[in-house]
Amino acid sequence: MKKILVVDDEESIRFLFKEELEEEGFFVEVASNGKEALEKLPEIRPDLVTLDIRMPVMDGIETLKKIRETQRDLPIVLCSAYGEYKHDLTTWASNAYVVKCADLTDLKVTIRRLLGLL
Amino acid sequence: MGSSLDRYEVLKRIILVSHSPMEGDDRIPQILEALTEAFQAKRCLFLPATRGSEDEGSGDPQLKNREPFLGEDQASLLVPLADEDFHYGLIRIELDRKAENASEVMELLHLVSKIIAGTMRQASFCSQSEKALLELHALSEVGKAVTSTLKLDDLLQLILEAGLKILKAKGGVLRLEDPETHELRVKCSRGAYDQNPLDEKIAKRAFFSQTLVSLEHRGETNPSLSVLCAPLSSRGKTLGTLAFYEKEGVPSKFDERDCDLLRSIANQVSCAIENALIHHETSRIVRENEKRIHQLSTLWQLNKALLTTVHLERILHRVLTAITLGEGFGLNRAMLFLVDEKSRMLKGKMAVGPDSAEEAGRIWEALSQRKSLLERIGELESLHSNSSRLDAMVKKMAISLDVEDCILVRTVLEGKAFNIRFTGASEGWLQSLCEKGCRVGTEVGCSAGEQLGHDGKRYGFATIPIWGKGKVIGVILADNVYTGYPITDEDVEFLTMFSNQAGLAIENALLYRSLEEAQQELKAMEAHVVHQEKMAALGELSANLAHEIKNPLVVIGGFARRLYRAISEEGPEKRYALTIIDEVSRLEKVLNQVLTYSRDERRDHEECDLREILESSLAMLPTEGENGPLRIVRAFSEDLPRVKGDRRELKEAFFHLMTNAREAIQEGGVISVRAFSQSTNGSSWVRVEVEDSGRGIRPEVLHNIFNPFFTTKESSLGLGLPIVHKIVTSHGGHIEVDNRPGQGVTFIVTLPASE
């Protein structure tokens, strides 16, 4: 079973993502900001990370940089309410960029694609 | 014989004859008769003294004695008639016998001689005093005449009349020297004597010799001509000549006395003529000064009228009105052209003047009440409708300053006025030359000739440059098309003075106008900046708000979907969940639009192929839908340059425009998408036009369509066109709307082509 780390400062989002992704057959761990995610990362060793951008303590961009320092191949999906970071960041470091919306199909398809499950 | 000669009777008879109330010359025959009878003579003769004989006598010493004496033949008695001063002649009594030298006889004859001489002297005095009286009378007539008037022409006429009367001449000619040409010009005449070439010759002779010329001309075929011509001299200066022809009566010759009379007349009138000439000259100067003063005061009034406003249209109108007004320049029509330096064109701005002679009459009638110039100008401003045909025609005129042979252009380029009169040009006025040799033969000419002038051959006009700060800023064209009065060079001079003032006023008005325009532009800019700031603030606020709302929506929508999936059987719960999902989707759409509009400018620009972008946008457009069948017409030029920009954004922009077009078409129609390159101001652009066959935009909302949150559609947030606008302007392009209410709209997007 593939392990996914969901990083988001909003509890309800974490809850929704966890429910949805577990239903898809993933094992889901959560972190409420970048710092917590970095701390949990060695222990959890996820197969994929979903990363919110706007977060307190450490934001998504900073977290992405930090993760890439040690793990170049870990698939990371940036999730944000904004649409415009897409061009800047997908080419730079993340594997995918998904605009958060209520219909999580896009996110699920992206995760499956990155994990080689499609 | 002694007995027959009654000395007393002889003396008595002679005395009676001498004292009879007869004319002096009629007494002589009676006296001779009396003597013949008394002396029983063969005959008695009176031999009048010839001129110059009184001193020398006939050489006979006895004549000198003035005593009667016996003739050499001894048969005649000779009686000299003389007094102390004058020798009148000789009476010769011829006898048929030898005369006696009786002392009584001689004494008698001596007495007779004294009586006759006395009578003759008296008669001579009488006629002399008569003459003197007549002369005096004549001179007093002349005197009266010359003092009765100062009007030169009247005076000269009076002088001629008086001279004719005094000299009893049949005709006369009065000539005066022209002060400029120095010719002896005929001022007035009686009879056609001035036509005779001889007249001028005689006049010149009298004029230059400064002496009276008396001439008996005997022509070979013509009857003889008697003429007296006196120079008119005053204070050593000869002013002219006065000549009289042919005395009435017989003989028709002028005598010495007439010469004297004419001399007197000439002397007397010369002074009067000189005075009249001076008066004439003075009056002329006074008139000129009055005219100058009138001109100056007119200029002053016009200037005042011009200074009371800075409104250009009003100033132009006043300038032209002043030219057409009776108290101003009184010309029929005036037209004004201004130089447009940018385009190097002379453009018709305004014209004032009636369209027809009838209208001219009406306007002049309406203005016949006397009022001040200023009031009249104001009145005319309302009278002349600016919609006159002339005005409309002039406003359409535009002449390139390169058309150098056009009279209006020449006026600008040479900076001087032209006064042009066409007279009797046979091949129409286009070929005619003005007096200064300028050829009129261009559009203006054509327009001026065909439309301004009714009869080209007689049409005349003046062009006056308008100077403003050292350069010609325009031209005034004025004419007298209805009255046909000539425009004098003096008018042109005055117009030039006026146009200088007008130039300053126009220049000021132009400056004022550009200042006003600049101010308006600034105001608009300020409003725009304020608007932009507002929009930016609104954008930022919206972005934050959207972001804050978005996460909860994701959660709500997400769990609604879970609920929907969790509810297995169809029922109201499942419908509730679906409603939540739909509403959240709608909200998310709105939020995405807000976020797109308010996002930052940061973006990656790449070389985009607009054809590909347009095709993919069109591909997303449903071809069949609620609004009926849709036909899409593409016209993309082959050599379409690439555009540097954000592919996704551009696609979004065009997609918006196409969606708009699609929505505009109610019952099916055509969307045309055209793309081609164009070159403006030396740079290359790509122009994309998206046209629909819908109903167009209502004109009252047109100015709002690019404003965010403005919409006419119920289902729209009103961010579509603002987003397009934002995308296009952020790419350095422009968007324009060609709105044709009821027929459709074309959105025209121009983007800079990449190098």
Side-chain angles (χ1 to χ4, degrees):
Chain A
M1 191 185 273
K2 298 282 184 188
K3 240 189 262 179
I4 295 173
L5 175 61
V6 171
V7 188
D8 203 300
D9 59 327
E10 296 216 21
E11 216 273 305
S12 53
I13 292 280
R14 292 200 299 272
F15 179 37
L16 176 68
F17 276 27
K18 191 172 158 61
E19 291 286 299
E20 285 283 308
L21 293 177
E22 279 176 354
E23 198 179 82
E24 293 287 316
F26 298 113
F27 181 79
V28 181
E29 285 284 341
V30 296
S32 63
N33 60 54
K35 192 164 170 280
E36 193 186 322
L38 287 174
E39 283 164 9
K40 285 186 172 175
L41 212 55
E43 179 200 329
I44 297 168
R45 298 162 61 98
D47 298 292
L48 186 141
V49 178
T50 71
L51 202 53
D52 185 23
I53 293 174
R54 274 229 250 179
M55 286 184 295
V57 186
M58 184 187 284
D59 70 8
I61 307 294
E62 184 70 28
T63 316
L64 180 63
K65 277 189 201 164
K66 288 268 195 263
I67 297 172
R68 283 282 176 260
E69 278 169 17
T70 53
Q71 303 188 52
R72 298 179 73 88
D73 301 325
L74 176 63
I76 299 171
V77 178
L78 279 174
C79 282
S80 170
Y82 287 109
E84 74 260 26
Y85 291 126
K86 206 170 171 179
H87 288 275
D88 302 334
L89 302 176
T90 46
T91 49
W92 177 54
S94 72
N95 298 86
Y97 183 95
V98 174
V99 180
K100 268 191 229 169
C101 72
D103 185 355
L104 293 181
T105 316
D106 197 14
L107 177 70
K108 289 172 191 166
V109 169
T110 307
I111 290 171
R112 281 185 176 279
R113 183 168 52 81
L114 289 173
L115 292 174
L117 298 172
L118 277 178
Chain B
M1 178 184 168
S3 58
S4 65
L5 188 75
D6 186 342
R7 286 188 292 176
Y8 173 76
E9 276 305 318
V10 172
L11 280 175
K12 183 182 164 192
R13 194 161 167 198
I14 298 272
I15 286 166
L16 279 173
V17 170
S18 293
H19 291 274
S20 68
M22 270 185 273
E23 283 295 314
D25 292 343
D26 295 342
R27 291 179 193 137
I28 299 289
Q30 293 217 8
I31 290 169
L32 292 179
E33 201 186 319
L35 286 173
T36 310
E37 275 175 28
F39 286 92
Q40 290 162 357
K42 266 201 300 196
R43 57 178 181 171
C44 259
L45 295 172
F46 173 65
L47 307 168
T50 48
R51 248 174 204 280
S53 66
E54 53 246 65
D55 298 325
E56 299 146 39
S58 55
D60 198 328
Q62 287 193 300
L63 251 177
K64 278 197 167 174
N65 271 342
R66 301 182 180 176
E67 289 296 327
F69 58 94
L70 203 62
E72 279 170 18
D73 55 359
Q74 302 291 312
S76 58
L77 292 162
L78 296 159
V79 188
L81 302 175
D83 53 31
E84 285 76 14
D85 307 318
F86 206 76
H87 179 68
Y88 302 102
L90 194 71
I91 290 179
R92 182 185 172 97
I93 306 165
E94 291 178 14
L95 305 171
D96 51 1
R97 57 182 187 275
K98 201 170 178 253
E100 305 161 54
N101 194 4
S103 62
E104 315 83 90
V105 173
M106 285 307 163
E107 196 187 339
L108 174 68
L109 285 176
H110 176 76
L111 284 172
V112 166
S113 142
K114 288 283 175 219
I115 290 165
I116 296 173
T119 307
M120 290 189 99
R121 182 173 187 147
Q122 192 190 353
S124 148
F125 277 164
C126 212
S127 94
Q128 267 181 28
S129 60
E130 248 173 55
K131 270 186 202 170
L133 261 176
L134 206 67
E135 275 183 32
L136 273 175
H137 181 69
L139 290 176
S140 100
E141 283 282 300
V142 172
K144 258 192 245 166
V146 298
T147 49
S148 67
T149 180
L150 268 175
K151 275 191 194 158
L152 186 65
D153 291 340
D154 292 355
L155 175 74
L156 299 179
Q157 193 63 41
L158 279 173
I159 288 169
L160 191 73
E161 302 280 338
L164 285 168
K165 207 164 118 192
I166 294 163
L167 294 177
K168 297 189 176 68
K170 283 182 184 165
V173 181
L174 197 156
R175 287 168 183 270
L176 285 186
E177 188 191 25
D178 189 298
E180 277 161 30
T181 60
H182 298 288
E183 270 174 40
L184 282 173
R185 302 234 320 248
V186 176
K187 284 299 194 178
C188 58
S189 68
R190 168 80 65 86
Y193 297 98
D194 55 318
Q195 310 290 327
N196 192 334
L198 206 63
D199 177 65
E200 197 180 344
K201 277 188 196 165
I202 296 169
K204 276 186 178 163
R205 208 167 102 190
F207 184 81
F208 291 111
S209 67
Q210 297 197 23
T211 51
L212 186 128
V213 175
S214 167
L215 212 73
E216 294 299 320
H217 181 72
R218 288 179 200 288
E220 283 172 14
T221 47
N222 302 338
S224 66
L225 193 68
S226 171
V227 56
L228 276 185
C229 183
L232 298 168
S233 308
S234 174
R235 284 182 274 171
K237 195 176 158 241
T238 313
L239 309 167
T241 59
L242 180 59
F244 290 100
Y245 284 86
E246 294 191 87
K247 201 170 170 89
E248 279 173 359
V250 185
S252 66
K253 296 196 315 187
F254 293 108
D255 56 21
E256 194 60 33
R257 199 180 127 241
D258 295 323
C259 291
D260 292 342
L261 264 177
L262 183 55
R263 270 193 205 94
S264 311
I265 294 170
N267 282 340
Q268 198 167 354
V269 301
S270 292
C271 197
I273 289 175
E274 198 191 11
N275 285 344
L277 279 172
I278 291 169
H279 178 76
H280 187 71
E281 181 68 14
T282 316
S283 312
R284 195 182 61 76
I285 292 170
V286 166
R287 271 201 305 279
E288 211 161 81
N289 280 341
E290 272 172 4
K291 203 168 172 186
R292 289 272 146 176
I293 289 171
H294 175 72
Q295 283 185 349
L296 281 176
S297 98
T298 307
L299 275 182
W300 178 78
Q301 291 214 45
L302 295 177
N303 204 16
K304 212 162 86 178
L306 292 182
L307 281 177
T308 51
T309 178
V310 285
H311 189 266
L312 181 66
E313 301 289 314
R314 218 166 283 159
I315 284 184
L316 296 184
H317 199 254
R318 283 183 186 180
V319 168
L320 296 181
T321 305
I323 293 171
T324 54
L325 210 58
E327 286 88 339
F329 298 90
L331 295 171
N332 291 173
R333 305 187 303 178
M335 290 142 256
L336 199 143
F337 301 80
L338 287 183
V339 174
D340 181 1
E341 290 201 337
K342 271 187 207 152
S343 59
R344 275 187 60 75
M345 297 284 269
L346 192 58
K347 289 183 176 168
K349 285 290 167 193
M350 194 180 280
V352 165
D355 281 333
S356 63
E358 291 77 36
E359 198 192 329
R362 276 203 307 280
I363 289 175
W364 293 329
E365 178 101 1
L367 287 175
S368 55
Q369 296 156 303
R370 286 213 66 83
K371 282 182 183 173
S372 85
L373 188 58
L374 276 172
E375 276 176 309
R376 291 235 196 164
I377 286 176
E379 204 169 296
L380 265 187
E381 271 177 13
S382 53
L383 255 174
H384 279 298
S385 54
N386 261 10
S387 55
S388 74
R389 260 190 297 132
L390 179 70
D391 187 56
M393 191 199 81
V394 166
K395 281 195 167 106
K396 268 187 245 152
M397 284 165 87
I399 307 126
S400 165
L401 286 179
D402 298 326
V403 188
E404 282 173 15
D405 54 354
C406 160
I407 188 66
L408 292 177
V409 173
R410 283 193 58 183
T411 311
V412 173
L413 297 181
E414 296 175 27
K416 65 177 187 193
F418 289 92
N419 189 7
I420 294 180
R421 268 157 272 184
F422 296 106
T423 42
S426 55
E427 288 179 46
W429 69 282
L430 275 181
Q431 270 73 45
S432 34
L433 297 170
C434 81
E435 288 184 342
K436 286 170 183 159
C438 159
R439 183 182 287 277
V440 182
T442 57
E443 305 158 56
V444 169
C446 296
S447 306
E450 288 162 13
Q451 300 175 57
L452 307 181
H454 295 219
D455 180 0
K457 289 175 190 169
R458 270 187 49 228
Y459 181 58
F461 62 87
T463 60
I464 294 100
I466 304 169
W467 285 88
K469 295 223 188 73
K471 61 177 194 281
V472 179
I473 58 170
V475 183
I476 292 172
L477 187 140
D479 66 19
N480 271 339
V481 74
Y482 301 119
T483 56
Y485 295 151
I487 301 172
T488 62
D489 286 342
E490 206 182 336
D491 288 337
V492 173
E493 205 178 297
F494 187 21
L495 274 170
T496 306
M497 275 160 71
F498 172 60
S499 87
N500 287 342
Q501 293 192 339
L504 283 178
I506 291 170
E507 179 90 7
N508 281 344
L510 283 172
L511 280 175
Y512 183 77
R513 175 181 265 197
S514 65
L515 210 69
E516 250 183 352
E517 276 171 2
Q519 205 202 356
Q520 264 167 13
E521 221 166 88
L522 267 175
K523 264 190 191 163
M525 206 106 99
E526 197 187 341
H528 184 68
V529 166
V530 167
H531 177 75
Q532 292 287 74
E533 277 174 0
K534 260 193 219 163
M535 282 300 123
L538 183 66
E540 208 181 319
L541 185 73
S542 318
N544 286 330
L545 202 64
H547 194 258
E548 291 308 314
I549 295 168
K550 204 163 180 194
N551 275 334
L553 271 182
V554 170
V555 177
I556 296 165
F559 282 108
R561 274 182 173 74
R562 288 191 63 74
L563 275 176
Y564 180 77
R565 282 201 300 274
I567 300 161
S568 51
E569 74 275 24
E570 292 295 319
E573 291 83 1
K574 197 152 176 124
R575 251 200 13 254
Y576 300 157
L578 192 62
T579 308
I580 299 173
I581 292 169
D582 285 349
E583 288 305 303
V584 167
S585 293
R586 198 160 72 88
L587 280 175
E588 280 189 315
K589 227 177 177 175
V590 168
L591 285 176
N592 280 337
Q593 282 195 353
V594 171
L595 286 170
T596 308
Y597 181 72
S598 55
R599 72 185 150 211
D600 294 343
E601 298 289 321
R602 293 181 291 147
R603 65 178 53 82
D604 278 343
H605 277 188
E606 52 185 328
E607 299 250 313
C608 306
D609 181 358
L610 270 185
R611 254 194 307 185
E612 185 254 319
I613 290 174
L614 291 169
E615 285 291 1
S616 61
S617 306
L618 280 170
M620 289 158 69
L621 209 63
T623 50
E624 196 76 30
E626 60 208 81
N627 291 333
L630 179 72
R631 199 155 64 83
I632 291 169
V633 179
R634 297 169 174 79
F636 302 150
S637 109
E638 285 294 317
D639 54 343
L640 205 61
R642 285 170 169 271
V643 169
K644 207 169 172 121
D646 186 316
R647 230 188 125 268
R648 198 178 50 83
E649 279 192 354
L650 290 174
K651 192 172 151 186
E652 189 180 343
F654 289 119
F655 181 67
H656 265 301
L657 288 181
M658 289 164 191
T659 311
N660 253 0
R662 162 131 194 75
E663 283 167 1
I665 295 167
Q666 302 286 321
E667 287 96 25
V670 186
I671 296 179
S672 304
V673 182
R674 295 179 287 269
F676 47 91
S677 66
Q678 79 173 33
S679 181
T680 314
N681 300 334
S683 52
S684 173
W685 300 76
V686 181
R687 181 179 169 107
V688 180
E689 297 178 358
V690 179
E691 181 184 347
D692 67 61
S693 60
R695 299 215 171 138
I697 303 167
R698 291 202 315 277
E700 64 269 27
V701 303
L702 191 64
H703 66 282
N704 262 327
I705 58 170
F706 291 122
N707 284 342
F709 305 111
F710 174 81
T711 183
T712 56
K713 301 168 198 159
E714 277 178 26
S715 60
S716 165
L717 187 63
L719 278 171
L721 284 173
I723 287 172
V724 174
H725 186 260
K726 191 176 159 110
I727 290 171
V728 170
T729 50
S730 75
H731 279 78
H734 319 283
I735 182 161
E736 292 161 63
V737 193
D738 177 16
N739 185 36
R740 302 175 303 280
Q743 293 175 4
V745 182
T746 308
F747 281 93
I748 302 149
V749 172
T750 15
L751 293 164
S754 74
E755 273 124 46

